[in-house]
């Protein structure tokens, strides 16, 4: 077994991996970006190393910096968690080729193959796994999209080769949309995955999202650990996951599980992974009825890493999946047979995101956990990294914790969930806890288990969501003296990878001036130079279009001298894993564009000036 593992991630998943390491007697190493210097995963680890500034590309996605940190710490393995570099085959190869360091994940070869969706579809087809009608070669022309739509019917899904979670996917509902959506999917693929290759699939109108957890070792053993139902999604991002699925019969469940085993065995895959499927829902199915073995299901993709929702499977099976990953990477054989795997009861995971569900799940731009008191009791598990008093870091995703509830059956599990969500006390940061409370108590489709992946976006009661936010939502906690100014001086010393921190708080003192290290602009009429120095350049007078949230510019659609009308898209901003069109509120002539494609911007930063 390993002596020291570096976790190439942040937040709750980094802490989750570190806990598994500690159970096995393994020392842990954290990496952190500048805004994460006080993060929970840094506090938990035995050692911590800075790998760069806030921008993920310059820190958590900097493979060279991560490997250098592992060398410096003397780590003999790297676990990537999920997100960031977890599914990057080039990084996996870099780690595997580094003397003395083991990659805790699948072999880079199968990882690359299954990460490319068209190749993965071909492998699954050869293994006899059903696949959605689609292309197996990359698509480059809009005419190909139109021809596919004529042959298979609309809508058509355009998907990025390296995509996942809805990123890099666009839906074409008619031939007139083909060119625009193809270009958008290619752009997202390049921005998110450095790969603008896309393929086509028939878009299913009423699917359930079912995924199967698998583990496989180097000795030829492949096990599936049951399925999870991830059908409650907004804009293809999962919000609540549960297992077993409330819709599947035992016969259909077994068919899907065996299909997952066959597929990964055909690919020569090892370590933990998830095979995802779309299952055709019967729109006339009543609560309590189950989908039988004749139901159509189709392979969607393989996630070559551990999933956010792996906790559901752990509660159902009692198997520590992260521990299995470490043992498999160390060359050990899986110690249980397929017949040993039994699903006990029902489990649900609630993503505790810093978002306002009543405002289209808008992510929070700032906040501090003035009060943070998670629930407890039988059947309740909370995976988190933040603690009371921590500031919210908004440079990455919006999830601050995961609440996992287990019970002997679904009804008991939902009742226990309602109790746990009621106990979850958060002040100072908006969360979607009120939304979750609505789902488990008053939403007939979710409680009845008849929801599909389209439900939340197309059918959920927006007024009910707003009412839940109003009733159960939290605001900023009161302070002892809001008028008294408090200055906190923070000192961090790192010696041979060991961190020592000293915090001094002084009330009534003036704030200590500090340089702006985030690349943002404090005033709407100035902008920093691209090289990040302190010089400023005026952006001129006139109407301004500002960033509505922190993010990265995928494209700038206008130039100086262009004429724009109200509603025209002027920029495309990636924030919280989603592509957002920034439009002009008023018409006019563009007189200044102080930003460029690839720039990171903060909320309120000026994107262009109109006259």
């Amino acid at each position: 077994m390993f002596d020291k593992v570096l976790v190439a991630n942040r937040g709750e998943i980094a802490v989750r991996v570190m806990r598994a390491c500690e159970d096995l007697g393994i020392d842990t190493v954290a990496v952190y970006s500048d805004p994460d210097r006080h993060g929970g995963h840094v506090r938990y680890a035995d050692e911590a190393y800075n790998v760069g500034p806030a921008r993920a590309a310059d820190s958590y996605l900097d493979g060279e910096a991560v490997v250098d940190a592992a060398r410096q710490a003397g780590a003999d393995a790297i676990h990537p968690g999920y997100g960031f570099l977890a599914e990057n085959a080039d990084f996996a190869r870099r780690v595997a080729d580094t003397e003395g360091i083991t990659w805790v994940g699948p072999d880079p070869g199968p990882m690359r193959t299954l990460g490319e969706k068209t190749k993965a579809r071909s492998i699954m087809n050869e293994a006899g796994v059903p696949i959605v009608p689609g292309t197996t070669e990359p698509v480059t022309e809009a005419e190909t999209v139109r021809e596919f739509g004529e042959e298979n019917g609309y809508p058509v899904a355009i998907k990025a080769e390296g995509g996942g979670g809805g990123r890099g996917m666009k839906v074409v509902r008619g031939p007139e949309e083909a060119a625009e959506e193809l270009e958008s999917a290619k752009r997202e693929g390049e921005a998110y995955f450095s790969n603008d290759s896309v393929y086509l699939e028939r878009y299913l109108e009423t699917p359930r999202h079912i995924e199967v957890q698998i583990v496989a070792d180097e000795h030829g053993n492949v096990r599936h650990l049951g399925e999870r139902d991830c059908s409650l999604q907004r804009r293809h991002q999962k919000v609540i996951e549960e297992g077993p699925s409330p819709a599947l019969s035992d016969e259909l469940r077994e068919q899907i599980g065996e299909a997952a085993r066959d597929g990964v065995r055909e690919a020569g895959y090892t370590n933990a992974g998830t095979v995802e499927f779309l299952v055709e829902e019967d729109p006339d199915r009543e609560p309590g009825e189950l989908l039988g073995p004749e139901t159509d299901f189709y392979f969607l993709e393989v996630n070559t890493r551990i999933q956010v929702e792996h906790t559901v499977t752990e509660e159902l099976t009692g198997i520590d999946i992260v521990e299995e990953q470490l043992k498999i990477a160390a060359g050990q054989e899986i110690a249980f047979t397929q017949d040993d795997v039994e699903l006990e009861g029902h489990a649900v995971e609630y993503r505790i995101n810093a978002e306002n569900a009543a405002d289209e799940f808008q992510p929070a731009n700032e906040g501090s956990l003035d009060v943070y008191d998670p629930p407890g009791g039988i059947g309740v598990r909370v995976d988190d990294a933040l603690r009371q008093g921590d500031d919210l870091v908004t440079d990455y995703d919006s999830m601050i914790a995961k609440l996992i509830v287990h019970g002997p059956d679904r009804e008991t599990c939902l009742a226990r969930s309602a109790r746990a969500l009621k106990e979850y006390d958060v002040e100072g940061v908006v969360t979607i806890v009120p939304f979750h409370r609505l789902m488990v108590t008053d939403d007939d489709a979710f409680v009845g288990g008849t929801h599909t992946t389209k439900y939340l976006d197309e059918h959920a009661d927006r007024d009910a969501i707003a009412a839940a936010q109003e009733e159960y939502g939290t605001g900023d906690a009161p302070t002892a003296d809001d008028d008294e100014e408090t200055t906190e001086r923070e000192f961090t010393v790192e010696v041979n990878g060991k961190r020592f921190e000293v915090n001094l708080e002084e009330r009534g003192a003036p704030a200590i001036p500090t340089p702006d290290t985030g690349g943002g602009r404090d005033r709407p009429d100035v902008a920093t130079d691209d090289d990040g120095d302190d010089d400023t350049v005026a952006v001129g007078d006139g109407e301004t279009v500002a960033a509505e949230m922190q993010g990265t510019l995928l494209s700038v659609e206008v130039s100086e001298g262009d004429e724009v009308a109200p509603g025209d898209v002027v920029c495309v901003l990636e924030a919280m894993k989603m592509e957002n069109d920034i439009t002009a509120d008023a018409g006019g002539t563009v007189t200044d564009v102080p930003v460029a494609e690839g720039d990171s911007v903060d909320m309120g930063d000026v994107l262009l000036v109109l006259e």
Side-chain angles (χ1 to χ4, degrees):
M1 185 48 69
F2 307 113
D3 294 320
K4 184 183 292 187
V5 172
L6 181 143
V7 183
N9 218 293
R10 64 181 297 277
E12 59 83 22
I13 185 55
V15 173
R16 165 71 189 93
V17 174
M18 291 172 188
R19 283 174 170 153
C21 289
E22 187 167 1
D23 287 347
L24 294 172
I26 302 171
D27 291 338
T28 56
V29 181
V31 291
Y32 64 95
S33 65
D34 290 343
D36 269 339
R37 64 187 181 278
H38 300 302
H41 70 292
V42 175
R43 292 192 294 258
Y44 195 94
D46 297 305
E47 304 173 38
Y49 294 82
N50 183 284
V51 287
R55 186 168 178 260
D58 299 323
S59 52
Y60 294 113
L61 290 173
D62 187 340
E64 183 176 357
V66 171
V67 172
D68 283 347
R71 287 199 194 97
Q72 189 176 348
D76 51 358
I78 292 178
H79 191 301
Y82 51 70
F84 295 127
L85 293 167
E87 293 183 281
N88 187 313
D90 290 335
F91 177 68
R93 175 57 62 194
R94 178 197 291 269
V95 174
D97 289 344
T98 300
E99 185 177 357
I101 300 180
T102 298
W103 168 250
V104 183
D107 181 88
M111 182 181 183
R112 184 185 302 279
T113 301
L114 291 177
E116 295 180 11
K117 300 303 189 295
T118 53
K119 292 182 179 179
R121 283 168 54 87
S122 297
I123 290 173
M124 293 297 162
N125 192 41
E126 292 173 4
V129 179
I131 61 174
V132 178
T135 61
T136 55
E137 295 296 330
V139 173
T140 58
E141 301 295 334
E143 183 59 31
T144 306
V145 181
R146 288 188 281 266
E147 290 174 355
F148 183 87
E150 291 174 5
E151 179 180 351
N152 296 277
Y154 289 97
V156 174
I158 306 176
K159 296 186 173 183
E161 283 273 12
R167 288 167 288 173
M169 186 184 85
K170 298 298 173 182
V171 178
V172 180
R173 300 194 175 275
E176 70 282 356
E177 299 179 3
E180 180 181 352
E181 299 297 354
L182 175 63
E183 182 60 33
S184 181
K186 289 168 64 68
R187 184 173 64 232
E188 277 196 21
E190 177 64 34
Y192 289 127
F193 316 108
S194 300
N195 181 359
D196 68 355
S197 180
V198 298
Y199 65 101
L200 307 179
E201 279 186 355
R202 181 166 68 85
Y203 187 66
L204 303 180
E205 291 285 13
T206 58
R208 297 191 73 89
H209 186 130
I210 305 295
E211 61 187 29
V212 178
Q213 177 70 58
I214 63 95
V215 289
D217 62 27
E218 299 172 358
H219 307 280
N221 299 302
V222 181
R223 309 283 185 259
H224 79 76
L225 307 183
E227 92 281 0
R228 299 182 290 258
D229 193 316
C230 308
S231 299
L232 198 73
Q233 306 177 3
R234 48 97 178 147
R235 284 179 272 175
H236 306 287
Q237 294 292 317
K238 302 166 187 174
V239 183
I240 298 177
E241 303 99 341
E242 62 181 309
S245 170
L248 303 189
S249 62
D250 289 340
E251 296 87 352
L252 182 57
R253 173 173 296 114
E254 184 63 23
Q255 288 180 26
I256 295 174
E258 286 305 311
R261 291 181 73 193
D262 292 342
V264 298
R265 188 181 291 111
E266 179 74 22
Y269 185 90
T270 56
N271 214 270
T274 304
V275 186
E276 301 196 341
F277 297 90
L278 294 179
V279 177
E280 286 275 24
E281 175 64 279
D282 177 0
D284 298 323
R285 186 175 64 87
E286 296 292 332
E289 293 182 6
L290 299 176
L291 298 171
E294 73 286 350
T295 303
D296 290 331
F297 66 91
Y298 304 101
F299 167 74
L300 177 62
E301 63 183 359
V302 177
N303 286 285
T304 57
R305 54 171 168 80
I306 199 164
Q307 292 273 87
V308 174
E309 58 274 17
H310 75 278
T311 56
V312 170
T313 300
E314 290 182 330
E315 294 304 305
L316 294 174
T317 63
I319 295 172
D320 186 326
I321 298 173
V322 177
E323 188 173 303
E324 290 299 318
Q325 286 188 289
L326 293 163
K327 290 178 179 179
I328 292 169
Q332 297 183 22
E333 187 171 0
I334 296 173
F336 55 88
T337 68
Q338 187 61 57
D339 290 340
D340 292 332
V341 178
E342 295 183 1
L343 306 184
E344 296 290 342
H346 199 89
V348 184
E349 177 184 273
Y350 304 90
R351 300 193 185 200
I352 309 302
N353 297 338
E355 299 172 357
N356 186 345
D359 187 20
E360 296 297 324
F361 292 87
Q362 178 75 21
N365 289 290
E366 60 182 353
S368 177
L369 292 177
D370 301 324
V371 173
Y372 183 71
D373 187 9
I378 188 169
V380 176
R381 165 182 171 180
V382 177
D383 280 20
D384 58 16
L386 295 174
R387 292 293 178 265
Q388 186 162 301
D390 285 353
D391 290 330
L392 186 67
V393 176
T394 60
D395 298 274
Y396 312 106
D397 64 71
S398 60
M399 188 171 66
I400 59 176
K402 301 184 305 196
L403 169 65
I404 308 96
V405 181
H406 183 246
D409 52 50
R410 191 171 190 263
E411 183 179 5
T412 303
C413 186
L414 294 185
R416 188 170 287 169
S417 296
R419 184 264 298 169
L421 289 162
K422 184 179 180 180
E423 290 180 9
Y424 216 133
D425 189 8
V426 181
E427 292 281 352
V429 175
V430 65
T431 73
I432 60 171
V433 167
F435 165 81
H436 289 317
R437 293 181 66 176
L438 171 68
M439 288 295 107
V440 302
T441 56
D442 297 316
D443 190 273
D444 292 340
F446 178 75
V447 173
T450 60
H451 57 288
T452 70
T453 59
K454 311 293 182 64
Y455 173 71
L456 195 52
D457 289 331
E458 299 178 3
H459 305 293
D461 188 337
R462 295 286 183 265
D463 292 338
I465 294 174
Q469 185 66 40
E470 178 70 21
E471 182 176 0
Y472 305 131
T474 58
D476 295 336
T479 58
D481 186 353
D482 290 336
D483 294 329
E484 186 176 26
E485 191 169 3
T486 300
T487 298
E488 183 176 339
R489 292 171 168 85
E490 301 173 345
F491 302 91
T492 302
V493 179
E494 185 171 305
V495 180
N496 294 329
K498 303 288 187 181
R499 290 169 52 88
F500 303 91
E501 299 178 357
V502 178
N503 297 329
L504 299 178
E505 187 176 278
E506 188 174 354
R507 294 188 178 274
I512 304 171
T514 59
D516 178 8
T517 59
R521 271 77 78 185
D522 293 329
R523 301 186 304 277
D525 59 338
V526 299
T528 58
D529 287 340
D530 289 339
D531 61 7
D533 61 30
D534 293 332
D535 295 335
T536 61
V537 290
V539 299
D541 298 324
E543 295 289 334
T544 60
V545 176
E548 300 171 354
M549 63 193 76
Q550 186 275 337
T552 301
L553 289 170
L554 295 181
S555 69
V556 178
E557 303 292 334
V558 296
S559 303
E560 290 185 25
D562 286 352
E563 296 289 335
V564 299
D568 283 354
V569 176
V570 295
C571 296
V572 180
L573 179 69
E574 181 273 321
M576 297 301 177
K577 304 179 182 177
M578 288 179 285
E579 183 175 311
N580 303 273
D581 291 337
I582 306 299
T583 59
D585 291 331
T589 302
V590 179
T591 60
D592 201 352
V593 184
V595 294
E597 180 179 328
D599 283 357
S600 294
V601 296
D602 290 329
M603 183 179 182
D605 284 354
V606 173
L607 305 178
L608 63 113
V609 181
L610 295 173
E611 186 176 80

